[in-house]
Amino acid sequence: MTIGIVIFPGSNCDRDVRWATEGCLDMSTEFLWHESTDLSHFEAIVLPGGFSYGDYLRCGAIARFAPVLSSLVDFVSKGGKVLGICNGFQILTELGLLPGALIRNKDLNFICKDVDLIIESKRTSWLVNYKQDKQITLPIAHGEGCFYCNEDSLKKLQDEDSIALRYSLNPNGSTYDIAGITNKKGNVLGMMPHPERACDSKIGLTHGQEILKSLISN
Amino acid sequence: MPIFQAKVEVNLRPSVLDPAGEAAKSASLRLGIEGVNKLRIGKSIMIEIDASTEDEANKSIQLLCDRLLSNPVIEKWSFELNRIPIESQVSL
């Protein structure tokens, strides 16, 4: 029952995730260098936030060619759980495991603040354990977090009930206020907010805990 | 082996908001230039590639554009491909 956190050159939330999963939630966690290809003993994989490969070309564009991600596609097809946070979400869209793309925030600002989120769907295991019916609060920190998809993709996301989280007050221009989505199967979640920064009551919010706990629950 | 040069242009699809382009458009007014009603920012990429034929070079550049240089969800690409004359290669 070990969680793997992938480290790309330029990742900067890898240790935050480990602090949350291991330090706050007592879950077995290992770091995984982006050149690793053996994911066989991991229960779940986290792609953390940061600026992988300097975000050159586009956010996540170069990271998608990392050796670990070829194995990740296989891992996902076998039902393994993958959580992409911020830059990790961008990588998942570039990789085609999730639809859409993340583009520059509407007002060009880098936004770093706590935001209220609506739990749009409890279809998948990621959000099912929230006692709150509707709303949670998590921090965001991004310059390119505006989720974009065309009308057909949006309709597909809605039809499949794959929109996981929406902003109460859209901070960045995202299509349909989308903050996080899952794949159809439900084993992949990509989200711009940072659950790992909301797990320690000593520093504030704890609404991120259930998402991280669900990495090792079905 | 022949060397080809490709000039690739990558631009956001018209349906995708370009806030950086909008900001630059606003700045053009501050420069005193009136009448700028559209300004979209894209990328220009220059590539030199060894290939035995133009067709082969063409296919490689297309693949690069589609899989690496652009994200087809938000961007469109186009390129011009030219063979670099042997005399220019020597001078390089």
Side-chain angles (χ1 to χ4, degrees), chain A residues 57-58 61-62 64-65 93-94 100-108 148-150, chain B residues 10 12-13 15-17 19-20 23 43 45 66-71 73-75:
Chain A
L57 218 45
R58 295 175 309 282
I62 296 178
R64 69 167 271 210
F65 293 101
T93 60
E94 282 283 339
L102 281 313
I103 59 173
R104 194 88 64 97
N105 292 345
K106 184 184 63 177
D107 295 326
L108 292 169
Y148 171 84
C149 68
N150 63 24
Chain B
V10 178
L12 285 170
R13 289 180 181 275
S15 58
V16 179
L17 187 72
K43 292 183 197 121
I45 300 145
D66 228 20
R67 301 281 307 279
L68 176 64
L69 302 176
S70 82
N71 178 345
V73 175
I74 49 169
E75 294 167 324

Side-chain angles (χ1 to χ4, degrees), chain A residues 82-203:
Chain A
V82 175
L83 171 62
I85 303 165
C86 200
N87 193 225
F89 184 15
Q90 293 162 342
I91 293 168
L92 289 172
T93 60
E94 282 283 339
L95 196 57
L97 286 175
L98 292 174
L102 281 313
I103 59 173
R104 194 88 64 97
N105 292 345
K106 184 184 63 177
D107 295 326
L108 292 169
N109 296 325
F110 186 97
I111 310 168
C112 184
K113 64 175 184 183
D114 296 339
V115 294
D116 291 334
L117 299 158
I118 299 158
I119 297 174
E120 185 75 358
S121 169
K122 287 191 174 183
R123 178 178 69 90
T124 65
S125 60
W126 298 102
L127 298 165
V128 81
N129 289 327
Y130 280 96
K131 293 196 181 72
Q132 298 92 320
D133 249 5
K134 282 266 174 223
Q135 198 160 297
I136 57 174
T137 305
L138 293 175
I140 55 169
H142 59 244
E144 292 177 71
C146 172
F147 180 79
Y148 171 84
C149 68
N150 63 24
E151 283 180 19
D152 290 347
S153 297
L154 178 61
K155 183 157 189 326
K156 198 166 173 228
L157 282 168
Q158 289 170 317
D159 290 348
E160 289 174 356
D161 193 17
S162 290
I163 299 169
L165 292 165
R166 292 175 71 201
Y167 299 106
S168 287
L169 199 61
N170 194 334
N172 55 23
S174 289
T175 302
Y176 196 61
D177 309 327
I178 286 174
I181 56 173
T182 60
N183 61 347
K184 189 180 177 185
K185 202 168 174 182
N187 58 329
V188 179
L189 170 65
M191 59 190 289
M192 287 313 295
H194 288 266
E196 79 280 14
R197 297 187 191 177
C199 285
D200 187 343
S201 59
K202 290 189 189 68
I203 56 168

Side-chain angles (χ1 to χ4, degrees), chain B residues 31-49:
Chain B
L31 180 66
I33 310 285
E34 290 185 9
V36 176
N37 51 44
K38 193 172 181 181
L39 196 163
R40 307 271 294 172
I41 297 176
K43 292 183 197 121
S44 172
I45 300 145
M46 202 279 283
I47 302 170
E48 283 186 16
I49 185 168

